[in-house]
Amino acid sequence: MLKHILSSSVHRLPKTVVPPLRPASVYFSPLHRVLGSLRGGRLFFCSGSGDGADAEAKVVELASGADESQTKASSAIVSTNPRPEDYLTVLALPLPHRPLFPGFYMPIYVKDPKLLAALQESRERQAPYAGAFLLKDEPGSDPSVVTGSDTDKNVYDLKGKELFNRLHEVGTLAQISSIHGDQVILIGHRRLRIAEMVSEDPLTVQVDHLKDKAFNKDDDIIKATFLEVISTLRDVLKTSSLWRDHVQTYTKHIGDFTYPRLADFGAAISGANKLQCQQVLEELDVYNRLKLTLELVKKEMEVSKIQESIAKAIEEKISGEQRRYLLNEQLKAIKKELGLETDDKTALTGKFRERIEPKREKCPPHVLQVIDEELTKLQLLEASSSEFSVTRNYLDWLTALPWGEYSDENFDVTRAQMILDEDHYGLTDVKDRILEFIAVGKLRGTSQGKIICLSGPPGVGKTSIGRSIARALNRKFFRFSVGGLADVAEIKGHRRTYIGAMPGKMVQCLKNVGTANPLVLIDEIDKLGRGHAGDPASALLELLDPEQNANFLDHYLDVPIDLSKVLFVCTANVVEMIPNPLLDRMEVVSIAGYITDEKMHIARDYLEKSTREACGIKPEQVEVTDAALLALIENYCREAGVRNLQKHIEKIYRKIALQLVRQGETIDATIASSQSIEPKNAKVDVDESGQNAIKKENLLGSSNPEQMGGTSEEDDKLQLDLPAEESPCPDNQSTDNEVAKETEEDKETETMTIEKVLIDKSNLNDYVGKPVFHAERIYDQTPTGVVMGLAWTSMGGSTLYIETTLVEEGEGKGALHVTGQLGDVMKESTQIAHTVARAILLEKEPENPFFANSKLHLHVPAGATPKDGPSAGCTMTTSLLSLALKKPVKKDLAMTGEVTLTGKILPIGGVKEKTIAARRSQVKTIVFPSANRRDFDELAPNVKEGLDVHFVDDYTQIFDLAFGDEHSQNIEK
């Protein structure tokens, strides 16, 4: 028996003796109370037996916090005159979580005031009994999912017949031990079965008292099952102290375990769900009940084993890590005593000394002093302190920099010229400047870092030029973009006091490249931001100043760094966006863009070749004509750069690749199908020279006439005739005019053709779509009041027309209305042009009152494009005079220049871009200010070719040229 297993004496107390009040902790351990709360309803033990004979037994008090008088009053079981079996009509109490077993003690909460009052009244009438019935789950709900708060809420809402239908039929007759507020403490006595409902509010039911079925105590099967339950409980007791507390308490207050008691005990304290417990409660056959309980305690045993294994695994893991840590510490101490190994700090110090030792002779003295001080400081710091990690990182950066280490530069001008020409076409200004830099370095024996700024529209190759320069000079290359940069710390580093502090970009660059004379490309320098963390443009002043960067000071390193040997190359789209102090430290090299001829060379020699290789297409498989490239440049890719041109060429070759693959798959499928139908008919025609007219490589796209065995040039196509039922020629003799005989049953000859893909102007639209650009030139001969001007944009140069028309004419109605999204400067230019035109007209035709009596409208198309700038003054003046004189300007004439009130022509910018725009529009005659003659003379000969350029100082020269005056001999050319 369990009583003997536990070695605890159990005494049956007399029925009439009420035990003295003891706190709950005497009977139940804290773990026991926790277990009861986790299972949804706490089960305690009373001294009443399962058959109702000991109804007035002792009760374990739950509410230990109540005062002594109240506790004494509530702990005693109220004496009753009728016996429990006399109660055939009882109040029905729903139990949401677990059924109440006979001999056990359970507190429940009653929220219904009427039911609570009825219970109180029953207790006061010396009839403290009610029926406790388990509540059924809602239809469609999962009983394994715990939703305690929702279940309680549903119990409180159920009333009357709805509640009656939700109750299990078998329950327990429970004695009302005490009532504390809405808490009612029940003691289970015997099993009940609901017969019928008596009343609805509160729910009262008529019940039948159930007794266990008769059984033979000496039956071997029942006895064996009983002993197996005890054996299983004994195993569980070895692993779980909770069960040990349960057994001790039960045997002390209930007595020895009988067969029915043991079955109820095992089911009540097991971790089974409520439906399994209800099944045990409903079972009246003691043997079956023992079997059900045995199954539950066996499951509990398995759970205990799993719990024990989990606890053991965690304990072993923790103890293993602790043991390993202790052994490692002991090993370190032993090695330290024997001198076999140094500690972490000594190893770190040794690593830093080894790193700086090869550079000690080249390293500046002030840097060596800082490194030695930091190494001494590192030895004195604890490895767990935050200062230790800061010092370690600082030394890591200091010793990793290439102090005094320079790469061997190549001063071979011829090799540099070859590399630059290999990578880029044109760009003579940039190449000459780099060659000059190399020549100076060769004469001096050393090269001094310079700051070169490459300015120009997008796609002209500014960034790739920097990489080519580094290759030509044999320098390491490092690029970083400052577009949108708003934090000064990205340039000059953070202070070491901050968490996660790092040096600036230049220190990171030197560490990455490993030399002190790299080429650093600072991209998008005209797009610097300015945020709350300072002004990065001002921080770049020290970095890019040749007089200051020999002692550049990074906030993190806090030691001067020599950057004078670094070659800085900056790129910008618009020079005007660069702050003047920063621009003053740079040498600007302008890249205006490429004219059509240059784009043709670049597309043919660079872009097409690289794209074809990237797509895996052989040169003999495709041909792109010059007319197609020219149409692509003029109608799709008119911008100054070639990036968009490269995208369009890649688009063309991708479509060609798809076309070739599809044709190859079609022919392979046709050959396979013909061979499967009649393999002997796979005939190969042979020409007179004995060569195969159709070869496998030709099927894959080759169209070389020589490889095709002498076929005609007009037929770049390969024909493969596959008759369905043609008999093969026995001797394979060739006949040029051989005609296959076909009968009515023969199938139609299938002809598959593969062409050498030809991209011409006619089929260009199939590959790149409709043209994006159309001719900028709207008029062959500009009408009266319309003059072509030249403009500069960030994408290069362009031509635009300035149109003036007469709106209204009348005495004293002279006025000027302006449209075209013009900026403030351009609006002022229109007023100046109007005044100058009136003065010129008064001089040329004193009796012409056109401007005084005419309301004019001046427009600059396209109206959706914003425009501003002063260089359209002379064009506007000419447009106004053309309308006043009713004479169109000279054909193929374009002009640019700023005009003053006295008629003087001031210089303008963007000469190369405007010249390229004029050539694109097929303009023959251009008018520039005289001050721009030097800019025009510096242009490449192919840009100036075929242009009649006039340089003027005064507007009267433009007047004579535009309106064909015979006295135009004084205009400079």
Side-chain angles (χ1 to χ4, degrees):
M1 294 297 177
L2 283 178
K3 177 173 65 176
H4 301 292
I5 295 169
L6 297 169
S7 301
S8 61
S9 59
V10 180
H11 302 282
R12 173 69 69 88
L13 296 177
K15 296 180 182 180
T16 57
V17 178
V18 177
L21 181 66
R22 298 183 184 181
S25 61
V26 174
Y27 302 118
F28 306 106
S29 67
L31 289 174
H32 183 195
R33 292 195 294 274
V34 172
L35 180 65
S37 64
L38 289 176
R39 289 172 180 167
R42 291 176 291 178
L43 293 175
F44 302 95
F45 306 108
C46 72
S47 57
S49 64
D51 55 4
D54 300 327
E56 289 126 0
K58 287 76 59 189
V59 177
V60 179
E61 178 56 42
L62 172 71
S64 60
D67 60 273
E68 187 174 353
S69 59
Q70 183 180 359
T71 305
K72 287 180 178 179
S74 62
S75 64
I77 295 181
V78 180
S79 60
T80 58
N81 291 326
R83 294 176 301 175
E85 54 266 25
D86 295 335
Y87 288 90
L88 301 178
T89 303
V90 293
L91 294 168
L93 299 179
L95 303 179
H97 305 298
R98 290 177 68 85
L100 175 63
F101 283 88
F104 282 83
Y105 183 93
M106 176 186 287
I108 66 170
Y109 291 90
V110 179
K111 299 295 184 180
D112 187 357
K114 289 185 179 182
L115 180 58
L116 190 62
L119 293 174
Q120 187 70 38
E121 183 183 355
S122 299
R123 192 167 184 274
E124 291 174 356
R125 287 192 294 105
Q126 305 298 316
Y129 288 97
F133 301 93
L134 182 65
L135 194 69
K136 295 179 182 178
D137 292 317
E138 288 185 289
S141 63
D142 187 356
S144 62
V145 179
V146 178
T147 55
S149 59
D150 296 340
T151 305
D152 292 341
K153 184 177 179 182
N154 294 338
V155 170
Y156 305 146
D157 295 339
L158 295 174
K159 303 284 181 159
K161 193 168 184 179
E162 184 182 1
L163 177 60
F164 177 77
N165 294 331
R166 286 281 301 277
L167 295 178
H168 279 275
E169 186 178 356
V170 178
T172 308
L173 179 66
Q175 181 181 351
I176 305 170
S177 174
S178 62
I179 300 177
H180 300 277
D182 60 353
Q183 185 186 56
V184 180
I185 300 174
L186 305 176
I187 301 171
H189 280 270
R190 59 173 59 196
R191 288 169 168 79
L192 300 175
R193 186 188 303 276
I194 297 176
E196 60 182 353
M197 184 173 64
V198 177
S199 63
E200 293 189 3
D201 197 10
L203 181 62
T204 306
V205 295
Q206 183 179 347
V207 296
D208 297 329
H209 292 255
L210 303 177
K211 291 185 178 181
D212 295 334
K213 295 179 180 179
F215 64 94
N216 184 6
K217 292 183 180 181
D218 297 329
D219 185 85
D220 293 339
I221 297 178
I222 296 179
K223 188 181 295 184
T225 307
F226 176 76
L227 293 176
E228 180 62 25
V229 174
I230 292 177
S231 176
T232 307
L233 288 174
R234 181 190 303 159
D235 294 336
V236 175
L237 291 174
K238 294 178 183 179
T239 60
S240 175
S241 60
L242 291 177
W243 281 57
R244 191 177 299 115
D245 293 339
H246 287 317
V247 175
Q248 289 176 351
T249 305
Y250 190 88
T251 55
K252 190 172 183 179
H253 293 282
I254 303 300
D256 294 341
F257 283 101
T258 62
Y259 291 171
R261 286 179 183 174
L262 184 65
D264 288 344
F265 174 81
I269 66 174
S270 69
N273 61 42
K274 61 182 182 180
L275 296 181
Q276 293 173 326
C277 293
Q278 179 67 25
Q279 187 178 1
V280 175
L281 184 67
E282 294 176 356
E283 184 59 58
L284 299 180
D285 187 284
V286 176
Y287 171 64
N288 291 336
R289 191 188 304 167
L290 279 172
K291 286 200 300 182
L292 292 174
T293 301
L294 179 60
E295 182 181 350
L296 297 183
V297 294
K298 285 287 186 182
K299 289 182 180 179
E300 197 72 23
M301 183 62 199
E302 294 300 324
V303 172
S304 299
K305 289 181 179 179
I306 295 173
Q307 177 185 353
E308 184 180 7
S309 63
I310 292 173
K312 186 177 180 181
I314 294 176
E315 184 179 355
E316 288 177 354
K317 181 179 179 181
I318 295 175
S319 61
E321 291 177 354
Q322 291 177 342
R323 185 168 179 270
R324 191 179 299 108
Y325 174 76
L326 292 175
L327 290 175
N328 283 331
E329 292 298 320
Q330 291 175 3
L331 182 62
K332 288 181 182 178
I334 293 172
K335 287 187 176 181
K336 188 174 181 182
E337 289 293 330
L338 295 176
L340 299 177
E341 185 175 307
T342 57
D343 57 2
D344 292 341
K345 290 193 291 186
T346 307
L348 272 175
T349 306
K351 183 184 76 170
F352 292 142
R353 291 190 185 278
E354 289 176 4
R355 190 185 288 177
I356 198 64
E357 196 62 35
K359 314 172 189 175
R360 186 170 289 274
E361 295 181 359
K362 302 177 183 178
C363 189
H366 62 276
V367 177
L368 285 176
Q369 181 182 355
V370 172
I371 292 175
D372 292 337
E373 291 175 355
E374 293 295 323
L375 286 172
T376 306
K377 178 181 175 182
L378 189 69
Q379 286 292 331
L380 301 176
L381 292 172
E382 288 293 333
S384 58
S385 66
S386 59
E387 185 69 19
F388 180 85
S389 61
V390 172
T391 305
R392 181 187 60 196
N393 292 337
Y394 181 49
L395 280 169
D396 191 17
W397 280 100
L398 272 179
T399 55
L401 292 182
W403 300 105
E405 295 186 3
Y406 302 99
S407 60
D408 296 331
E409 285 193 281
N410 188 351
F411 294 116
D412 188 347
V413 178
T414 306
R415 176 179 175 275
Q417 178 79 53
M418 182 185 65
I419 291 175
L420 293 174
D421 290 340
E422 179 183 337
D423 292 345
H424 296 276
Y425 180 82
L427 304 178
T428 308
D429 296 344
V430 183
K431 294 177 181 178
D432 290 345
R433 178 65 189 86
I434 301 305
L435 296 177
E436 291 168 5
F437 176 81
I438 296 174
V440 171
K442 184 174 184 179
L443 293 177
R444 291 185 55 190
T446 179
S447 61
Q448 192 73 13
K450 293 293 180 182
I451 294 89
I452 300 173
C453 180
L454 303 176
S455 69
V460 296
K462 300 185 295 297
T463 304
S464 58
I465 287 173
R467 198 179 302 273
S468 298
I469 295 173
R471 191 159 73 95
L473 293 173
N474 195 29
R475 289 194 179 205
K476 297 288 186 179
F477 179 77
F478 184 84
R479 172 193 171 273
F480 70 95
S481 176
V482 295
L485 187 68
D487 191 356
V488 174
E490 291 289 331
I491 305 296
K492 302 200 69 175
H494 305 83
R495 298 289 180 187
R496 291 199 304 276
T497 53
Y498 299 130
I499 296 176
M502 286 189 66
K505 282 291 185 183
M506 275 313 303
V507 177
Q508 297 177 34
C509 160
L510 295 179
K511 180 181 179 181
N512 289 341
V513 300
T515 61
N517 62 338
L519 185 144
V520 179
L521 180 71
I522 304 177
D523 227 347
E524 310 293 350
I525 200 169
D526 58 329
K527 298 177 181 61
L528 274 171
R530 183 168 186 174
H532 66 282
D535 184 10
S538 301
L540 282 173
L541 294 178
E542 181 184 2
L543 180 66
L544 299 181
D545 193 340
E547 301 299 327
Q548 300 181 37
N549 60 14
N551 295 303
F552 176 74
L553 190 65
D554 185 87
H555 289 160
Y556 183 87
L557 293 184
D558 207 22
V559 292
I561 306 172
D562 185 10
L563 300 179
S564 60
K565 301 293 191 297
V566 178
L567 176 60
F568 290 97
V569 178
C570 307
T571 67
N573 295 128
V574 183
V575 177
E576 288 75 12
M577 299 293 292
I578 305 175
N580 285 333
L582 193 59
L583 186 62
D584 183 58
R585 289 162 169 81
M586 302 178 187
E587 183 177 346
V588 179
V589 178
S590 179
I591 305 176
Y594 302 104
I595 62 175
T596 303
D597 295 342
E598 292 175 332
K599 283 187 177 182
M600 285 287 293
H601 281 285
I602 294 172
R604 183 66 74 189
D605 300 337
Y606 298 90
L607 304 181
E608 187 186 5
K609 180 181 177 182
S610 61
T611 305
R612 186 172 59 238
E613 293 176 355
C615 293
I617 299 174
K618 299 178 181 178
E620 63 269 11
Q621 292 178 308
V622 65
E623 179 183 353
V624 181
T625 63
D626 291 341
L629 280 179
L630 183 62
L632 187 67
I633 293 169
E634 292 187 344
N635 299 333
Y636 297 86
C637 311
R638 195 176 287 179
E639 57 279 328
V642 293
R643 183 177 292 128
N644 192 36
L645 178 61
Q646 181 180 7
K647 292 178 182 178
H648 279 74
I649 292 177
E650 290 173 352
K651 186 176 182 180
I652 292 173
Y653 272 89
R654 285 197 304 268
K655 291 184 181 296
I656 292 174
L658 178 61
Q659 182 178 340
L660 291 175
V661 170
R662 280 178 173 170
Q663 291 180 358
E665 289 179 353
T666 303
I667 289 187
D668 289 343
T670 306
I671 294 174
S673 62
S674 66
Q675 291 177 349
S676 63
I677 294 173
E678 192 162 344
K680 293 182 179 181
N681 288 346
K683 177 183 176 182
V684 179
D685 294 337
V686 181
D687 62 6
E688 293 179 354
S689 61
Q691 300 295 326
N692 291 342
I694 301 174
K695 294 185 178 180
K696 181 64 178 176
E697 58 268 19
N698 290 341
L699 295 178
L700 296 178
S702 175
S703 60
N704 192 341
E706 296 178 1
Q707 295 180 1
M708 293 176 63
T711 55
S712 61
E713 290 185 2
E714 68 170 292
D715 191 11
D716 275 340
K717 301 178 181 179
L718 303 175
Q719 290 195 341
L720 179 62
D721 296 333
L722 299 171
E725 298 182 1
E726 178 186 359
S727 61
C729 183
D731 55 357
N732 288 334
Q733 295 179 355
S734 65
T735 56
D736 293 338
N737 299 322
E738 180 182 7
V739 179
K741 298 180 180 179
E742 297 181 353
T743 63
E744 294 180 359
E745 292 82 8
D746 289 341
K747 294 182 179 179
E748 202 174 38
T749 303
E750 297 181 5
T751 303
M752 299 300 299
T753 63
I754 289 184
E755 298 182 359
K756 177 178 182 179
V757 181
L758 180 66
I759 308 298
D760 202 355
K761 185 177 180 180
S762 59
N763 63 350
L764 184 63
N765 293 357
D766 300 335
Y767 292 89
V768 291
K770 296 181 180 179
V772 178
F773 297 100
H774 300 282
E776 291 182 353
R777 185 165 183 173
I778 304 175
Y779 308 101
D780 290 335
Q781 169 63 52
T782 52
T784 302
V786 179
V787 180
M788 180 187 290
L790 299 175
W792 177 92
T793 67
S794 60
M795 299 292 289
S798 67
T799 58
L800 76 164
Y801 289 92
I802 295 182
E803 304 173 341
T804 308
T805 185
L806 177 64
V807 178
E808 187 180 0
E809 192 170 6
E811 185 70 28
K813 289 191 175 182
L816 178 64
H817 178 61
V818 180
T819 57
Q821 279 209 58
L822 306 184
D824 293 338
V825 176
M826 210 162 179
K827 287 179 180 178
E828 291 180 356
S829 294
T830 60
Q831 300 299 325
I832 296 172
H834 191 233
T835 303
V836 172
R838 295 185 69 164
I840 296 293
L841 184 63
L842 183 63
E843 178 184 348
K844 299 294 182 180
E845 297 183 5
E847 297 179 357
N848 190 342
F850 179 80
F851 289 110
N853 300 331
S854 302
K855 183 177 181 181
L856 306 178
H857 183 182
L858 187 145
H859 177 65
V860 184
T865 306
K867 311 168 194 68
D868 202 6
S871 61
C874 63
T875 314
M876 293 177 178
T877 306
T878 307
S879 176
L880 291 168
L881 287 173
S882 173
L883 186 64
L885 298 174
K886 298 180 180 180
K887 292 175 60 178
V889 298
K890 181 180 177 182
K891 187 178 180 181
D892 296 334
L893 173 68
M895 62 185 69
T896 180
E898 182 180 2
V899 66
T900 66
L901 282 175
T902 57
K904 295 296 181 182
I905 306 299
L906 301 182
I908 47 88
V911 172
K912 182 176 181 181
E913 290 87 347
K914 293 178 179 180
T915 306
I916 293 173
R919 284 179 57 89
R920 190 166 55 238
S921 296
Q922 298 179 353
V923 172
K924 304 300 183 184
T925 307
I926 305 177
V927 177
F928 279 132
S930 294
N932 291 111
R933 179 187 292 272
R934 178 176 54 86
D935 300 325
F936 184 81
D937 291 341
E938 292 176 356
L939 298 180
N942 59 343
V943 178
K944 299 185 289 184
E945 183 181 358
L947 293 177
D948 183 15
V949 182
H950 300 267
F951 300 93
V952 297
D953 291 315
D954 192 87
Y955 184 78
T956 55
Q957 298 172 279
I958 299 178
F959 184 88
D960 296 340
L961 181 66
F963 299 106
D965 198 330
E966 296 177 357
H967 303 287
S968 59
Q969 304 300 325
N970 58 342
I971 299 177
E972 299 181 53
K973 289 190 178 181

